[in-house]
Amino acid sequence: MNRRDVLRASTALGATGVLAGAAGSASAATAVDQSVAAKERTDPFRVQVVMFDGVEELDFAAPYEVFSAAGFFTSRPVEVDYVRASGPAAVTAAYGTRLRGIGRWAPDEADVLVVPGGGYGRRDSPGVWAEIDRGTLPRALAEAARPGLTIAALCTGVMLCSAAGLTRGRPCTTHHRARADLESQGGVVKNARVVDDGDLVTAGGITSGLELALWIVRRELGPDTALGIEAMMEYEARGTVWAPNTSAR
């Protein structure tokens, strides 16, 4: 038995109990349908995490770990990569972490594009402001938007999406210190941990990257997969997820 099978077996009873308790509701029936559909797919579920100098370590690491762990709890292959809009190169994160082996920018091949934040409080340092001023990443995000791609941003990475024009007139959220800026730029700010507006999913500050990724896993790969990850990580998703019609997700 490989590690994936061991992890599945260790969480199967808990996941089954939760689903059985909710089986009478329409939302649970929808979730089960989505889970079955996810299990039947054999094409890879591809996630790309956007990198840039000054990116916050936990902003990119937490979603990366959640999505990578999803592969242990679903039969559908899961592929997670770091990418950079200005071309493959080493990146220095907010606290000095040096990352090499960044992949090529290919959002046309992704199902989910995750946009972390970092450096928003330091305008003269590497980070979100520098990327906005440079313009390369906001333009790349604007050009990436297409049917079939979910752009998922967290913390002040949402402000990169705002600079790309992706949040104007749409429900969204960001780090609490950037909410006023997001609203002034046309975002319809919701007081929620995660805001799901279909092909645009946003989340609050730093640690909410866990909730962002777990929510998308639940939505795209089914509740069994999300429950398995929570059990493995010894973490329970918290806070409110805002969606126009949560029961249909």
Side-chain angles (χ1 to χ4, degrees), residues 1-246:
M1 180 178 286
N2 61 28
R3 187 183 179 200
R4 176 185 291 181
D5 292 333
V6 169
L7 289 168
R8 279 185 188 149
S10 67
T11 58
L13 289 177
T16 302
V18 171
L19 289 174
S25 69
S27 59
T30 301
V32 171
D33 288 344
Q34 290 176 333
S35 182
V36 171
K39 289 178 181 177
E40 290 175 348
R41 295 188 63 171
T42 58
D43 58 310
F45 181 67
R46 295 186 172 95
V47 179
Q48 296 179 3
V49 181
V50 177
M51 301 296 286
F52 52 89
D53 285 328
V55 63
E56 184 86 25
E57 275 86 346
L58 191 56
D59 275 19
F60 67 77
Y64 187 96
E65 178 147 350
V66 169
F67 285 118
S68 296
F72 295 130
F73 300 98
T74 177
S75 59
R76 185 178 178 187
V78 179
E79 298 176 2
V80 190
D81 295 293
Y82 289 131
V83 298
R84 192 166 183 259
S86 53
V91 165
T92 302
Y95 293 98
T97 304
R98 186 81 168 165
L99 295 103
R100 297 180 176 83
I102 308 299
R104 65 187 179 87
W105 182 259
D108 56 312
E109 299 175 4
D111 297 291
V112 179
L113 187 65
V114 179
V115 187
Y120 197 74
R122 303 179 299 277
R123 180 118 196 198
D124 59 346
S125 301
V128 169
W129 279 116
E131 296 302 318
I132 291 173
D133 292 341
R134 188 175 296 113
T136 302
L137 180 50
R139 283 194 298 272
L141 291 172
E143 293 169 359
R146 60 169 174 80
L149 175 67
T150 296
I151 295 179
L154 65 140
C155 196
T156 54
V158 180
M159 302 311 298
L160 288 165
C161 292
S162 180
L166 300 176
T167 60
R168 182 172 296 276
R170 301 192 65 174
C172 53
T173 191
T174 185
H175 189 284
H176 66 277
R177 291 188 177 179
R179 285 182 182 177
D181 291 343
L182 181 59
E183 189 168 32
S184 71
Q185 294 171 24
V188 182
V189 177
K190 301 294 181 181
N191 185 27
R193 183 83 164 161
V194 176
V195 176
D196 183 344
D197 195 38
D199 61 358
L200 177 68
V201 184
T202 55
I206 309 178
T207 59
S208 65
L210 289 164
E211 275 73 37
L212 177 80
L214 283 165
W215 175 256
I216 293 174
V217 164
R218 178 192 181 280
R219 194 183 80 172
E220 301 297 333
L221 300 176
D224 281 341
T225 305
L227 287 167
I229 296 168
E230 287 190 17
M232 185 188 78
M233 296 180 67
E234 295 190 0
Y235 181 84
E236 294 182 4
R238 66 183 183 88
T240 300
V241 175
W242 183 98
N245 184 7
T246 304

